């Protein structure tokens, strides 16, 4: 745990607003000329994800129940979000995490890039993979108090079923984002409501 503390405490990371600002600069200034096909694809993903995050951040309002639970947190916490700007799941999730964390000034949300911090994500693998986003909560003594991600439990189960059907990657992605669009953060909020309620009972 001391290694994690030493590593995370020295990483500047980004707030959600800084993350959005950096992404805007990236998609507005990076030229796609003379870029590889893969790089161009990642930039296009980033543009789409920026739109997704801004829309969710503008429209999502946490429930009264979740607000009440968040108000019960009395000690400082750090919520570490591990992500990449091309990740579609992250774009569908991070705005909700930001809005939830913002309900209590005791909580600090720090966003870091997975590929620049492989030693950290490798502690939080999902089925042996560096899946993102991952959200890890620490108390003010650097004790790990929760981990969450990379997807809501319901979607993770559906995703596994869809993959077993051997459908194309494009159709798989469409089904994933359709689920997010229809769910509108309900499952994310439900899981964090339960997670944080359990913390407050400790």
């Amino acid at each position: 745990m001391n290694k994690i503390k030493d590593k995370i405490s020295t990483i500047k990371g980004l707030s959600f607003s800084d993350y959005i600002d950096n992404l805007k600069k990236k998609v507005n200034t990076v030229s796609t000329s003379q870029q590889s096909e893969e790089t161009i694809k990642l930039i296009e993903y980033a543009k789409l994800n920026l739109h997704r995050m801004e829309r969710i951040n503008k429209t999502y309002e946490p429930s009264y129940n979740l607000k009440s639970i968040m108000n019960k947190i009395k000690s400082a916490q750090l919520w570490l979000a591990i992500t990449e700007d091309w990740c579609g799941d992250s774009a569908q999730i991070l705005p909700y995490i930001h809005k939830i964390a913002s309900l209590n000034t005791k909580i600090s949300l720090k966003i870091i890039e997975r590929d620049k911090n492989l030693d950290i994500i490798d502690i939080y693998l999902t089925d042996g993979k560096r899946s993102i986003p991952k959200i890890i909560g620490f108390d003010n003594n650097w004790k790990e108090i929760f981990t969450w991600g990379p997807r809501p439990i319901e979607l993770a189960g559906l995703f596994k079923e869809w993959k077993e059907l051997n459908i194309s990657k494009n159709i798989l992605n469409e089904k994933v984002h359709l689920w997010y669009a229809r769910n509108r953060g309900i499952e994310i909020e439900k899981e964090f409501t339960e997670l944080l309620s359990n913390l407050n009972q400790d």
Side-chain angles (χ1 to χ4, degrees):
M1 185 58 66
N2 285 336
K3 285 186 177 181
I4 299 176
K5 172 187 173 182
D6 292 342
K7 176 68 176 178
I8 294 173
S9 61
T10 56
I11 298 173
K12 183 179 180 182
L14 296 170
S15 66
F16 182 76
S17 60
D18 287 340
Y19 182 75
I20 292 292
D21 287 344
N22 283 3
L23 186 51
K24 285 180 180 178
K25 292 175 185 176
K26 176 179 179 177
V27 300
N28 290 328
T29 60
V30 174
S31 172
T32 56
S33 62
Q34 298 182 336
Q35 299 278 9
S36 68
E37 184 178 339
E38 181 64 22
T39 299
I40 293 173
K41 187 184 297 184
L42 293 179
I43 292 172
E44 291 304 315
Y45 286 154
K47 288 180 180 179
L48 179 58
N49 288 339
L50 176 61
H51 173 74
R52 286 169 173 154
M53 287 189 287
E54 290 185 318
R55 174 180 52 79
I56 295 170
N57 192 48
K58 183 178 180 180
T59 58
Y60 171 59
E61 178 64 28
S63 68
Y64 176 81
N65 185 36
L66 182 53
K67 289 178 180 178
S68 298
I69 292 168
M70 289 293 291
N71 285 336
K72 295 178 182 178
I73 296 175
K74 303 302 181 185
S75 299
Q77 294 181 10
L78 169 67
W79 290 10
L80 181 72
I82 309 174
T83 185
E84 287 289 342
D85 58 28
W86 45 258
C87 177
D89 285 283
S90 288
Q92 298 280 16
I93 291 169
L94 280 182
Y96 294 107
I97 304 303
H98 158 65
K99 280 289 189 76
I100 295 170
S102 297
L103 294 173
N104 191 313
T105 57
K106 295 286 186 182
I107 295 175
S108 174
L109 176 64
K110 178 187 283 191
I111 302 172
I112 65 172
E113 296 171 279
R114 180 194 68 176
D115 294 347
K116 291 181 179 178
N117 298 280
L118 295 180
D119 52 342
I120 295 179
I121 189 62
D122 283 349
I123 301 171
Y124 299 102
L125 299 177
T126 303
D127 297 328
K129 298 179 180 179
R130 294 167 172 163
S131 302
I132 49 176
K134 293 289 284 191
I135 317 298
I136 305 101
F138 299 90
D139 66 15
N140 55 359
N141 292 314
W142 288 95
K143 175 186 176 183
E144 183 182 303
I145 52 178
F146 72 81
T147 62
W148 186 92
R151 293 187 173 106
I153 294 171
E154 179 182 307
L155 178 57
L158 289 170
F159 185 82
K160 184 177 180 181
E161 293 176 9
W162 295 334
K163 284 206 72 172
E164 290 172 352
L165 296 175
N166 292 318
I167 58 179
S168 70
K169 185 176 180 180
N170 286 341
I171 294 176
L172 186 59
N173 286 336
E174 287 178 6
K175 292 173 78 68
V176 166
H177 289 293
L178 182 60
W179 183 93
Y180 280 118
R182 289 175 172 172
N183 189 261
R184 296 179 180 272
I186 291 172
E187 288 301 312
I188 295 171
E189 178 165 306
K190 185 172 76 174
E191 290 182 19
F192 267 81
T193 297
E194 181 177 353
L195 184 157
L196 296 168
S197 294
N198 290 336
L199 289 182
N200 289 333
Q201 292 173 10
D202 291 341

